[in-house]
Amino acid sequence: MCWFWAPWGTVCRAEAPGVEKVAEAYGNQVHFVGIPGLGEVSAMKRFVSDTGTTSLTHVADLDKSL
């Protein structure tokens, strides 16, 4: 399951706890991937830390190809 987010997005920040909860519950059945874009890598790392979305693999879409 892919979750597209931006580090500055207020909606993304609001979604994060629910996404993390589902990833923790179903992570052994479904691979969850967070795909941030439109921001600096440092802000993306801070978002993951701040929101606790550590059950997901995050792949930065720096060139906007995804």
Side-chain angles (χ1 to χ4, degrees):
M1 199 276 307
C2 293
W3 174 47
F4 291 89
W5 58 270
W8 44 264
T10 56
V11 171
C12 301
R13 191 166 292 274
E15 291 175 343
V19 172
E20 177 66 15
K21 185 176 179 179
V22 172
E24 286 177 352
Y26 297 100
N28 60 339
Q29 299 170 21
V30 178
H31 189 79
F32 289 81
V33 179
I35 304 175
L38 302 174
E40 298 294 322
V41 172
S42 60
M44 294 173 188
K45 289 180 179 180
R46 197 168 37 256
F47 178 94
V48 171
S49 177
D50 290 350
T51 60
T53 52
T54 56
S55 292
L56 287 74
T57 299
H58 294 275
V59 179
D61 185 19
L62 300 176
D63 65 0
K64 300 172 190 66
S65 63
L66 299 175

